[in-house]
């Protein structure tokens, strides 16, 4: 199982926001992109999707920035990955050139079960749990965020 870059970046953005100082200035999309060493345009797309899902709040203008919502902090990583990755099989059996084995293939079902096992193993993890030590302190160090 391999996550898309979009999902990977979304999880990293959520983790970065989980360690942001509640009392200070919230980071901007540009600052998060620089911290994560990814293009701003990619980060902006991820931020828009996470905002649409109610996981983050984005405020524009002076004093604006990004902040994690309560739902974002408590979100299950498995649920997030399912949502961000979208529906679909690990392999494409019905594409433009359908697989000749599709009517009697046992591999497709096994791969579906493996994919669900992957997601299920992520279900108990939350965004808040992902930034527990040692990850949180490292994120604080590379981002300049302060912890209380």
């Amino acid at each position: 199982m391999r996550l898309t870059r979009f999902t990977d970046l979304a999880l990293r953005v959520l983790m970065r926001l989980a360690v942001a100082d509640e009392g200070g200035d919230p980071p901007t999309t540009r600052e998060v992109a620089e911290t994560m060493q990814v293009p701003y345009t990619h980060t902006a797309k991820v931020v828009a999707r996470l905002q649409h899902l109610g996981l983050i709040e984005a405020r524009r203008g002076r004093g604006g920035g990004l902040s994690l919502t309560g739902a974002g902090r408590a979100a299950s990583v498995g649920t997030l990955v399912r949502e961000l990755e979208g529906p679909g099989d690990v392999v494409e059996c019905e594409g433009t050139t359908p697989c000749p084995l599709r009517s009697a293939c046992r591999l497709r079902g096994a791969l579906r079960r493996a994919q669900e096992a992957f997601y299920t193993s992520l279900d108990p993890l939350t965004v808040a749990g992902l930034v527990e030590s040692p990850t949180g302190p490292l994120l604080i160090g590379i981002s300049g965020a302060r912890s209380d």
Side-chain angles (χ1 to χ4, degrees):
M1 180 77 207
R2 184 178 181 116
L3 298 179
T4 61
R5 289 184 182 174
F6 187 89
T7 299
D8 173 47
L9 180 55
L11 292 171
R12 290 191 285 151
V13 166
L14 290 168
M15 291 169 64
R16 167 59 182 92
L17 296 178
V19 299
D21 182 23
E22 309 255 340
D25 293 332
T28 65
T29 302
R30 191 164 306 281
E31 290 167 345
V32 171
E34 289 171 5
T35 298
M36 296 297 138
Q37 299 177 356
V38 294
Y40 168 78
T41 54
H42 294 191
T43 307
K45 290 176 187 176
V46 166
V47 164
R49 179 76 187 277
L50 294 174
Q51 185 178 13
H52 176 75
L53 293 172
L55 303 173
I56 66 172
E57 291 179 350
R59 291 176 305 283
R60 293 178 169 246
R62 189 175 203 151
L66 306 174
S67 60
L68 192 62
T69 65
R73 188 170 299 284
S76 160
V77 174
T79 300
L80 285 171
V81 171
R82 280 183 191 92
E83 177 69 31
L84 295 169
E85 289 292 307
D89 290 327
V90 176
V91 294
E92 181 63 47
C93 300
E94 306 292 336
T96 55
T97 309
C99 176
L101 302 175
R102 70 186 180 277
S103 64
C105 183
R106 295 176 64 194
L107 178 61
R108 186 177 187 182
L111 290 173
R112 279 186 185 150
R113 289 187 299 278
Q115 180 181 27
E116 186 53 36
F118 173 75
Y119 292 147
T120 300
S121 71
L122 295 174
D123 283 340
L125 299 171
T126 63
V127 172
L130 290 177
V131 296
E132 292 175 355
S133 188
T135 307
L138 178 64
L139 271 169
I140 291 167
I142 64 171
S143 66
R146 297 183 313 268
S147 68
D148 293 332

